[in-house]
Structure formats: C-alpha cells, structure tokens
Amino acid sequence: MNQTRTPKYCYCSTAENRRTQHTADKHNKTLKKMEQEIDAGAAHIGLVVADIFTFLTKSAAVLSDMELHTDAIDLTVNDSGIAVHISRFAHCDADDNEEEEGFLYDGD
C-alpha cells in the first residue's frame, strides 16, 4: 500500500480540524440562507407576474377596442388581444438641461 496516501475521513479531534469543520458548517448555513432568500425573491416575482397576467386578461375581456398613448405607457386593445408598452425615462441632470437650452436658443 501507498503510505503517503491521505485518508478520506480523518477522525482526529485536533483543534485545527474542529475549526475547519466549524468554518465549513458556517459556509453551508450561509449558502442555505442565501438560497432561501433567492427562492423567496423568485416566488414574489412569480406572484407579481401572475397578478399582472390576471389583470391583463380580465382587462382584455372587459375593455372595448381602444388605444391609449401617454408619455409613459402605450395601451392597445383590439380583437387580437391587448398590448401594453411601458417606457422608462433616462435620468437627466439639471446641468444637462441648462446646456441644451443655451445651445438651442442662442442662434437668435
């Protein structure tokens, strides 16, 4: 037999082995906690998506053919279904607006 082989399981109760095991247990607990938080977040997202789907299907059934266009949302209801487009606006700093105004109106 090979005498330099490291045993798979060490039954030594040295302080270093106990510390290593404690650290491993701590990492496992942390990973399990992170997994639970991720699962809870995914479950919440799933519930929100289900609520949105329910709302849109009921709206498509109840609303007559229509179109609604605003700065933030475009809504179209027709025989083929319902379409909702929500726009996100980029954040503009106040300095950017002042420079743009000066550039646009200085040509008078």
Side-chain angles (χ1 to χ4, degrees):
M1 259 195 188
N2 187 357
Q3 298 298 325
T4 60
R5 182 172 132 338
T6 306
K8 186 173 182 181
Y9 298 104
C10 181
Y11 297 103
C12 305
S13 61
T14 62
E16 184 178 336
N17 287 341
R18 285 192 299 267
R19 272 183 274 152
T20 303
Q21 184 62 38
H22 176 69
T23 304
D25 290 342
K26 208 166 139 182
H27 289 301
N28 286 338
K29 288 178 184 177
T30 303
L31 289 173
K32 286 181 182 180
K33 184 177 179 182
M34 287 174 59
E35 184 179 334
Q36 289 172 349
E37 289 177 5
I38 290 170
D39 289 345
H44 177 70
I45 290 170
L47 291 173
V48 169
V49 170
D51 287 344
I52 291 171
F53 178 77
T54 302
F55 175 76
L56 289 176
T57 53
K58 287 180 181 178
S59 299
V62 172
L63 294 174
S64 60
D65 291 353
M66 62 179 278
E67 288 189 15
L68 173 68
H69 302 284
T70 65
D71 291 336
I73 190 169
D74 294 326
L75 171 71
T76 305
V77 180
N78 55 27
D79 292 337
S80 64
I82 187 169
V84 179
H85 180 344
I86 299 172
S87 301
R88 288 194 213 176
F89 298 106
H91 178 69
C92 296
D93 292 333
D95 297 335
D96 293 339
N97 292 337
E98 290 173 4
E99 291 174 10
E100 184 177 321
E101 287 179 10
F103 179 74
L104 291 174
Y105 297 110
D106 284 344
D108 289 339

